[in-house]
Amino acid sequence: MNHTNKLKIFNDPIYGFITIPNTLVFDLIEHKYFQRLRRISQMGLSYLVYPGAHHTRFHHALGCMHLMQKAVQTLRFKKVDISEEEEEALLIAILLHDIGHGPFSHAMEHSIVSGVSHEQISLLFMEELNRTFNGSLTLAIQMFRGEYHRKFMHQLISSQFDIDRTDYLKRDSFYTGVAEGNINSERLITMLNVVDNELAIEEKGIYSVEKFLVARRLMYWQAYLHKTGLAAEQLLIRVLKRAKELVSEGTDLKASSALEYFLKNKVEIQDFNASVLDIFSRLDDYDIISAMKEWQFHEDFVLSNLCAMLLNRDLLKIKFRKKPFSDKKLKKHTDLFIEKHSVPDEVARYFVFTGEVENLAYSTDKENIHILMKTGKKSDVVKASDLLNIKALSKLVTKYYICYPKQS
């Protein structure tokens, strides 16, 4: 019988060697649900802005697992008691936290499925894997849901300062080349501690936390909400919306069987049984790209044009500003499009539209980031920081945009 070496090592361009700690984690990584993450880009269509941003959710998940190993080591060194079972559960929860992402990460949450978040689908995958692995993910699921009595463990997985963010900021900054996002994740993790069952960062790490929050804000404006990437994502959402419309009217569209299923059916959270989850697990970026390569030649004006625009990076013009755009401005561009292409108003609305984006680097409404002062007291980062703009980072910034075709 062939025994696979289950304690393999990955070479990561950011952290160097990442080791797989045990056979259960290895078997989860080997599972088809997890391997699918190799085919889902971490930053959606951002590679149309930053050509290097082709890294995947697979990269990110392994990086998170590595940082979680470091966090456990740090906390144990500081006399925080973490059992072997708890450590394994933490590693599994962070490894699988993004397993529910659809093609191109966030763009699909509102198009392929109806009002189902990737967190909900991640949980469904974890529960399905728990059945496959005879209940060995039960504790990880409890932690992921925030139901485990040791609160700081859930905070490590999901909070305003969690392992997920410490990896994606550093990783996305590396692959995009946006240097402003580069944080010192190892130093941040070295500064972790636990007080009253809650995660805190030691006072000497406050400058690293400030840098982390500033980096988060800059990465949102420069990368995640970059206007060109945003225009591309809006086109992709509209491609799927149009494809669904056409299919519901009886048009036959070429697509993979998995994509075809989601085009033909309205899938909400209550519809996710084991077989629907399995169909969802067959969906990735490749389904969407290959469908668009076919659809760019379709006779439907909207579908063919939207697909060609995305494939050839001939995107819409997009303008940002601090106030909403007037109906008059929207009408002007809509009328120009109608006149140029002799199409009805409802067709023009696919190519001319407005919207808004929000950026909040630090929310004071959610669980705060605690700084552990030398006195032993906890203080919120906004109070503890002498950096004025940390307070400013806790204000919600809204920008409004308008998209319309470039005039040739």
Side-chain angles (χ1 to χ4, degrees), residues 9 63 72 106 149 176 224 232 307 338:
I9 289 175
V72 170
H106 291 282
H149 67 280
T176 54
Y224 310 130
C307 291
I338 290 169

Side-chain angles (χ1 to χ4, degrees), residues 146-160:
E147 290 166 356
Y148 191 58
H149 67 280
R150 304 189 77 184
K151 187 180 174 184
F152 76 90
M153 294 192 172
H154 176 68
Q155 290 175 319
L156 282 169
I157 299 157
S158 177
S159 65
Q160 292 208 76

